[in-house]
Amino acid sequence: MAMCITLGFASFLPDLDVFAQQITSKPDHAPPGATVVLRGKGLGSFKSARFNRVTFAGVPALIQRWESDLVEVKVPFTATTGPIEMLVGKKRLSAGTFTVVTPHISSLTPRQAERGTILTIIGEHFGETAGGRDPNTMFGVNDVVIGGGVVRPQQWTHDRIEVEIPSNAVSGDVVVRLASSDPLPDGSCCRPAEYVLSNAVSLSLIPTVRVDPLSGPVGTKVVLFGQGFGADRRTNDAVLIAGQPATIAQWKDDVIVVHVPLGAKSGPVTIKSWGRERTVAHFTVHTPKVTNIAPASAPIGTLLRISGEHFGFYSENGATPYNFMDFNTGENRVEIGGVPAVIYRWDDDRIDAWVPFSAKSGKVVVYRNGNKPNPDGSCCLEQGGVATEAGEFALVTPVIESYQPTSAGLDEVVTIKGRGFGSFLKTAEHTHLGINQKVYKRGDVALNETEGDAVVSNVSRTEVLFNGIAAIVESWGDTQIVVRVPHRNLYGVGKKGEFFDNLATGPLVIRRGSWDILPNDTCCTQTQWLSVEAGQFTIEAKGLPDRDYWKYNRPD
């Protein structure tokens, strides 16, 4: 009976040698650390690392998975080309021949690069994946070394790797590292991870160049911040925008200041320096566009608003990297009927300008300063600008049609009717450019600042005067003004020989003030006034305190 059992057991025991020729391995070539899948039938179950083994040319491999028809193993770090064998107990099975390959880099793109850019590595035998993200795993992680620093890849395939060059990277060799772990002598897991290295290919890292801004109209100040430009500009050094030389205002080792030239087109910004050309950004050239002006008709001293886009910035014609450091406006200006207006605010999408004293009806035109450089980049082969028509403006002269009453007591209301009064403005005359520049330069601007004998701050430019004394304005519209009769010394003012003893009656006057740009294109003349007289007005002796108040002001 025992013999029958033995024979019966032997008759059903799989003959591993029968299936030896049916074991296949895939892939049949790979670098160390790669996973190889062995397929067959009747391989049995995994019992122990000593009972179940796989070798590559005699070198034990780390077994990751073992099933009756599938086994996964890692190509050992010290493996060489040769046969794959499976050992199940005392049985030795052949799984074909395996070729060990090593990673190889054939090209880098680019060979010169800025930190933060994507480096593409082309080659072969990189493996299908970089593996897990944790470098402390028992199997290790495939990675890339740049100048001695380890970099994790963004994309990884068997022939292409993409990595972002980190900000702390240095120039040096680029190497692809493939991690591999071998089993311990008893077949268990694992020896410390070791790395198979590819060939080394050198990479040169160049300083990052920041370009600001990246868009704007003709005349825009473009600043390049970086390193290694050179302390002085050499003969062939240049900055090109879409292949056209830009006007160079300043060239230092760490900063270059240029201006977008006349006729410029959108395209790459290229630096020519040290005999090399380098594209550092893409610049978009905009054309100024006006969408609206308001108001379309008004008297002098009105704040005219021009709305649109791509006006650029006002004071960017200088050589410093910052617009308000030198406050050079160049030929940037607004003209109303051919007369330069006084600029209050100039932004990329909005310009506010005071209608000047000498303004005329006509076209409103926005001018942007521009030029073409000499062949060496210096200024200037051609001076000019870009003119953008904003629309028609009609200058209005205030007209008084009536005023009621013609006499009244202190603080009583007087209504003046007419047309073309404009809007009421009471603004500090810091807004004229001479003082505006002081503000941007962080100087102290005091209230009631004087220039000579004239007060140039905190002055109203829309006033109603009763015999030379300003009234309190209740409301001010284009067709009606409401004011209150002011307080004043009715008994007279002056000195011997020039004494005016009756100030109760005098002219009622509306006036608006504005400035003009000086002949040298700087701002501005002293305030000049447009006055319109309504007629005579008498301040009546009404609304005064009781005379007894001055004698008996303390009843107690």
Side-chain angles (χ1 to χ4, degrees):
M1 181 66 67
M3 182 175 293
C4 290
I5 294 174
T6 302
L7 290 174
F9 178 81
S11 64
F12 289 99
L13 183 67
D15 187 354
L16 296 179
D17 290 330
V18 173
F19 299 106
Q21 300 302 320
Q22 298 180 11
I23 299 175
T24 60
S25 62
K26 187 176 181 180
D28 61 1
H29 67 281
T35 298
V36 176
V37 179
L38 308 177
R39 294 183 182 275
K41 293 183 178 179
L43 301 179
S45 59
F46 184 81
K47 294 184 178 180
S48 70
R50 291 186 177 276
F51 186 85
N52 302 83
R53 291 176 293 162
V54 176
T55 61
F56 286 72
V59 178
L62 184 64
I63 297 173
Q64 294 183 284
R65 178 182 178 187
W66 189 296
E67 296 181 5
S68 62
D69 58 354
L70 182 148
V71 176
E72 290 182 358
V73 295
K74 288 276 191 180
V75 178
F77 177 74
T78 56
T80 59
T81 299
I84 302 177
E85 292 184 321
M86 298 181 66
L87 289 85
V88 183
K90 296 182 179 181
K91 298 290 185 180
R92 186 181 300 270
L93 310 176
S94 174
T97 301
F98 186 83
T99 302
V100 177
V101 296
T102 56
H104 178 80
I105 300 173
S106 57
S107 67
L108 299 178
T109 304
R111 291 296 297 272
Q112 284 189 335
E114 297 180 9
R115 295 162 181 84
T117 58
I118 299 299
L119 178 68
T120 302
I121 305 170
I122 302 298
E124 58 182 354
H125 308 317
F126 297 149
E128 296 298 328
T129 176
R133 293 187 175 275
D134 184 1
N136 298 314
T137 59
M138 63 180 70
F139 304 124
V141 174
N142 300 339
D143 53 35
V144 175
V145 177
I146 299 177
V150 176
V151 183
R152 284 288 295 157
Q154 292 187 335
Q155 293 186 3
W156 188 296
T157 63
H158 69 281
D159 59 358
R160 179 188 178 96
I161 300 172
E162 290 185 0
V163 296
E164 180 178 339
I165 302 173
S167 59
N168 61 347
V170 297
S171 298
D173 290 336
V174 175
V175 176
V176 175
R177 300 196 315 175
L178 304 184
S180 178
S181 293
D182 288 357
L184 296 170
D186 62 359
S188 62
C189 184
C190 301
R191 293 181 184 271
E194 298 180 89
Y195 290 92
V196 178
L197 305 181
S198 71
N199 59 311
V201 180
S202 63
L203 174 69
S204 177
L205 297 182
I206 52 181
T208 300
V209 176
R210 180 170 65 89
V211 179
D212 185 34
L214 295 175
S215 63
V218 165
T220 296
K221 178 190 290 185
V222 181
V223 185
L224 290 74
F225 299 94
Q227 295 177 349
F229 299 138
D232 297 298
R233 186 168 64 90
R234 292 162 293 277
T235 303
N236 295 322
D237 290 351
V239 175
L240 309 177
I241 299 177
Q244 181 178 346
T247 305
I248 296 173
Q250 181 182 148
W251 187 294
K252 292 184 177 180
D253 189 61
D254 58 352
V255 65
I256 301 173
V257 179
V258 301
H259 289 94
V260 178
L262 287 171
K265 298 181 180 180
S266 299
V269 179
T270 304
I271 302 175
K272 294 177 66 176
S273 179
W274 301 101
R276 298 187 297 269
E277 291 192 13
R278 177 184 175 191
T279 298
V280 294
H282 185 279
F283 190 87
T284 302
V285 179
H286 292 306
T287 301
K289 180 181 178 181
V290 176
T291 56
N292 185 55
I293 62 170
S297 61
I300 67 165
T302 297
L303 191 62
L304 179 68
R305 173 163 297 177
I306 305 170
S307 302
E309 59 184 2
H310 308 317
F311 298 138
F313 295 94
Y314 187 46
S315 59
E316 56 181 330
N317 200 54
T320 69
Y322 310 104
N323 291 342
F324 292 111
M325 185 175 290
D326 45 17
F327 209 91
N328 189 329
T329 61
E331 296 298 320
N332 294 342
R333 67 190 188 279
V334 173
E335 291 186 359
I336 302 174
V339 179
V342 180
I343 302 299
Y344 172 61
R345 177 185 289 109
W346 185 310
D347 293 328
D348 191 56
D349 60 352
R350 163 183 160 186
I351 299 173
D352 293 340
W354 299 114
V355 178
F357 180 80
S358 301
K360 301 176 182 178
S361 296
K363 293 185 181 299
V364 178
V365 184
V366 179
Y367 289 91
R368 284 285 305 175
N369 182 78
N371 58 62
K372 283 188 176 180
N374 294 313
D376 64 355
S378 62
C379 186
C380 290
L381 180 65
E382 178 185 343
Q383 288 275 18
V386 175
T388 304
E389 290 191 7
E392 294 286 337
F393 179 82
L395 184 68
V396 175
T397 300
V399 175
I400 298 175
E401 297 174 345
S402 65
Y403 64 100
Q404 291 292 336
T406 58
S407 64
L410 302 183
D411 294 328
E412 292 190 28
V413 172
V414 177
T415 301
I416 306 168
K417 295 185 177 181
R419 62 183 184 275
F421 298 147
S423 57
F424 179 75
L425 298 170
K426 186 180 186 303
T427 63
E429 297 200 9
H430 307 140
T431 53
H432 80 69
L433 297 185
I435 298 181
N436 203 20
Q437 293 175 29
K438 294 179 185 178
V439 173
Y440 283 119
K441 292 178 180 178
R442 299 184 181 180
D444 294 327
V445 179
L447 292 178
N448 299 320
E449 184 178 0
T450 60
E451 292 180 2
D453 295 331
V455 177
V456 296
S457 65
N458 201 28
V459 176
S460 172
R461 286 179 299 163
T462 46
E463 298 179 337
V464 176
L465 305 179
F466 286 79
N467 198 9
I469 297 298
I472 297 175
V473 176
E474 293 289 320
S475 64
W476 185 303
D478 191 57
T479 60
Q480 179 176 289
I481 300 172
V482 177
V483 295
R484 290 189 178 274
V485 177
H487 296 195
R488 69 163 309 147
N489 300 321
L490 296 182
Y491 58 84
V493 294
K495 58 185 178 180
K496 185 177 181 179
E498 297 179 3
F499 189 82
F500 301 95
D501 59 353
N502 184 9
L503 301 181
T505 301
L508 176 60
V509 175
I510 295 175
R511 69 176 191 169
R512 295 186 65 92
S514 190
W515 314 279
D516 280 336
I517 300 295
L518 294 171
N520 63 358
D521 295 329
T522 60
C523 187
C524 298
T525 63
Q526 295 295 329
T527 303
Q528 302 176 77
W529 298 95
L530 172 64
S531 299
V532 181
E533 185 174 332
Q536 294 293 303
F537 188 91
T538 299
I539 300 177
E540 300 176 355
K542 296 192 302 182
L544 299 174
D546 187 278
R547 290 179 179 272
D548 289 343
Y549 172 80
W550 307 106
K551 296 180 180 179
Y552 309 108
N553 61 348
R554 296 184 63 182
D556 57 330

